[in-house]
Amino acid sequence: MSFVMPVLNERDYLRRAVETVLGQDIPGPAELVLALGPSTDGTNELAAELAAGDDRIVLVDNPDADIPIGLNLAIRAARHATIVRVDAHSELDPTYARRAVATLDRVRAANVGGVMRADGRTPFQRAVARAYNSPIGLGGGAYHGGTQEGEAESAYLGVMRRDVLEEVGLFDESIRRGEDWELNLRIRRAGYRVWFDPTLAVTYWPRESWTRLVRQFSATGRWRGELVRRFGRGNSLRFFAPPALVLMILLGIVVGVLQFSSVVQGWWSVAASVVYLPVVAYAFLIVGVAIGPGGGRGWRDKLWTAAVLPSMHLAWGWGFLLGVIGGAHDTVDTSRLGSRNTPLP
């Protein structure tokens, strides 16, 4: 079994992620292939140290830093028939891979994934984790809390058959975000199953600051807009909710300016005010989630939840609109880098 992990500026998380991979309770040989981007925080030095201490770790260079390129480099360097995608921000239960392969064989799928269980180390990161784990936060995708086993649109990370990956052409290196969704689309169109197993769970550590979170979601939204340009209604309807929210807010601002300047008056003003209703409903939804049990325990947790949810939705929705209108082009997720829109340091 070959585990593949793209890595970039992950010194704080890499050691634990590697330990949980190498600690998998599986029969037969295993390896972990790390595709190392040009990190600037000492990640690559740590990776070299880990590899020196365990010959199951294989290092490959990923100078372009893009995730799909790194994944393909790692897959091509891997030796085994089962490919397990893992992330430096993830931690695996010791039985994860063994149970995933059992499901892969039982349902005769090409790719099996489970639930992303986000967690946090700081109040902000825990708020982001609560948003990830809530159907309100990320739109109710199966791997964000689904409980029903069955065929799925995509899979979180994924335990995949190498022969199917090679048949469909590995990851599309022109897609910098959403590459897993696009790969699973090709797998399904080739006649294979993508399967969700809710008994499988992976711990995921989200971004640690508001600016990094916004940059991540903006880039992800923009690439989803690009995927809509490429594949149209192959995209789930849930992806259109955040951009619809952004459009309603923009329309509300326009109507508000027209009302305030008396350009729109009387019954026309009353009729135009209907555009505020979805925005008001959304605000009540966020407040309801924040003050409820899903918002955390104390008032500080609830305030963070109330701030994080719209930050995720609006950044993603705005990015989506830009992607649909103009495409993603060279947009990358800079949330693990500096302020420049480039994967290189």
Side-chain angles (χ1 to χ4, degrees):
M1 185 178 298
S2 296
F3 297 82
V4 295
M5 180 191 296
V7 181
L8 179 68
N9 287 333
E10 297 288 6
R11 185 174 179 85
D12 292 342
Y13 296 91
L14 181 61
R15 184 182 297 275
R16 181 57 184 160
V18 168
E19 288 174 350
T20 66
V21 169
L22 298 182
Q24 289 296 292
D25 176 20
I26 53 176
E31 64 181 349
L32 169 59
V33 185
L34 302 180
L36 301 178
S39 296
T40 58
D41 67 346
T43 293
N44 292 0
E45 290 77 9
L46 174 59
E49 174 189 328
L50 295 172
D54 196 312
D55 60 10
R56 292 175 293 174
I57 300 175
V58 179
L59 305 181
V60 296
D61 287 330
N62 177 25
D64 292 311
D66 289 339
I67 290 175
I69 294 176
L71 286 168
N72 285 346
L73 287 169
I75 292 168
R76 292 185 181 109
R79 296 174 296 165
H80 301 299
T82 301
I83 302 295
V84 184
R85 177 176 175 177
V86 288
D87 189 272
H89 266 238
S90 65
E91 295 181 13
L92 307 181
D93 177 272
T95 62
Y96 170 82
R98 173 169 52 83
R99 290 185 292 116
V101 170
T103 300
L104 196 71
D105 293 337
R106 172 172 58 86
V107 301
R108 297 182 179 179
N111 189 8
V112 168
V115 178
M116 173 200 285
R117 297 206 186 282
D119 202 352
R121 299 171 177 172
T122 65
F124 176 84
Q125 195 177 43
R126 286 193 292 272
V128 178
R130 288 192 296 273
Y132 267 76
N133 295 332
S134 166
I136 303 300
L138 292 179
Y143 58 83
H144 293 300
T147 59
Q148 186 67 42
E149 182 178 18
E151 293 193 44
E153 176 185 15
S154 188
Y156 175 55
L157 298 180
V159 179
M160 300 168 274
R161 299 187 188 278
R162 184 191 186 117
D163 57 347
V164 175
L165 284 178
E166 292 176 340
E167 178 184 334
V168 301
L170 303 185
F171 288 90
D172 186 335
E173 296 182 359
S174 72
I175 298 174
R176 286 172 163 168
R177 300 291 294 179
E179 71 287 338
D180 49 353
W181 178 90
E182 189 276 336
L183 173 65
N184 284 298
L185 178 65
R186 279 186 282 126
I187 289 174
R188 290 186 286 113
R189 287 181 172 177
Y192 298 101
R193 279 179 165 183
V194 176
W195 196 262
F196 171 70
D197 183 350
T199 68
L200 303 173
V202 178
T203 298
Y204 172 78
W205 301 96
R207 299 300 187 268
E208 307 91 338
S209 72
W210 184 83
T211 55
R212 290 179 181 272
L213 179 73
V214 169
R215 294 209 301 268
Q216 177 195 15
F217 272 76
S218 178
T220 303
R222 185 146 187 174
W223 273 105
R224 176 54 57 181
E226 173 68 29
L227 292 174
V228 167
R229 287 167 63 98
R230 297 190 189 190
F231 302 105
R233 277 293 297 116
N235 295 266
S236 172
L237 283 174
R238 64 190 176 88
F239 294 127
F240 294 84
L245 172 65
V246 172
L247 288 175
M248 292 306 300
I249 291 174
L250 292 175
L251 182 58
I253 292 172
V254 171
V255 170
V257 170
L258 293 176
Q259 291 173 328
F260 182 78
S261 60
S262 298
V263 173
V264 176
Q265 303 180 54
W267 285 108
W268 286 109
S269 179
V270 174
S273 296
V274 73
V275 302
Y276 301 133
L277 294 180
V279 179
V280 171
Y282 174 77
F284 274 106
L285 175 65
I286 296 302
V287 171
V289 172
I291 65 177
R297 297 182 178 178
W299 65 268
R300 184 172 297 177
D301 279 356
K302 296 182 182 301
L303 286 176
W304 272 124
T305 300
V308 161
L309 282 169
S311 296
M312 292 166 53
H313 295 155
L314 296 178
W316 200 99
W318 180 251
F320 179 99
L321 293 174
L322 293 178
V324 167
I325 294 169
H329 300 295
D330 60 351
T331 299
V332 297
D333 175 9
T334 63
S335 60
R336 293 178 186 156
L337 307 173
S339 59
R340 292 179 297 168
N341 186 27
T342 171
L344 300 176

